[in-house]
Amino acid sequence: MSTILPNAALLPPGAISAGTASPPSGAPAGAAPAGPSFADVLADRTAASEVPRFSKHALDRLAQRGIDVSGATLNRLSDGIQRAAAKGSRNSVVMVDGTAFVTSVQNNTVITAVTEDHMRSHVFTNIDSAVIA
């Protein structure tokens, strides 16, 4: 039968005697665990989350309307979403050149995209900000 060891991080200081848990074999006592630090993992996740996701509806509209989301456009769109987030926005229209991207700022997701030709007959609802990127 295996011995169940309590997680020291979840117990108040001094609740476990020092000899209860032993370091893994080959690891010196008091050594930091191997692998990336929390700060490194957080930085990687933050960098990855800066690139907005596109909903299926948005991908359909991009294809249907022939909207090219190249590297420069994607960078400006990402910057616009970040600027809206810094102001506390939840849903925003981000204008990049002649294209309006309706975004969920909280989810970092593009909901739909509308070109200048199609904007004349559209009403944007449920948005709390507009950003010109």
Side-chain angles (χ1 to χ4, degrees):
M1 179 180 259
S2 65
T3 305
I4 298 175
L5 299 174
N7 184 342
L10 300 176
L11 298 173
I16 307 177
S17 65
T20 305
S22 61
S25 61
S37 69
F38 177 77
D40 293 339
V41 172
L42 183 62
D44 289 344
R45 292 278 173 116
T46 303
S49 68
E50 290 177 6
V51 177
R53 293 182 307 230
F54 289 82
S55 69
K56 182 180 180 330
H57 178 78
L59 292 172
D60 291 345
R61 291 300 173 259
L62 292 173
Q64 178 185 30
R65 296 174 177 154
I67 301 170
D68 178 37
V69 184
S70 64
T73 302
L74 191 59
N75 287 341
R76 290 173 59 198
L77 175 60
S78 178
D79 178 63
I81 294 172
Q82 289 175 9
R83 288 173 31 206
K87 295 291 186 178
S89 296
R90 291 179 296 182
N91 296 302
S92 182
V93 173
V94 180
M95 301 292 295
V96 179
D97 296 328
T99 305
F101 295 92
V102 178
T103 64
S104 169
V105 176
Q106 292 174 321
N107 298 325
N108 196 28
T109 303
V110 176
I111 297 168
T112 192
V114 182
T115 60
E116 275 184 280
D117 298 336
H118 294 95
M119 268 190 247
R120 299 186 200 292
S121 61
H122 279 75
V123 174
F124 298 109
T125 60
N126 297 326
I127 62 164
D128 56 16
S129 63
V131 179
I132 299 173

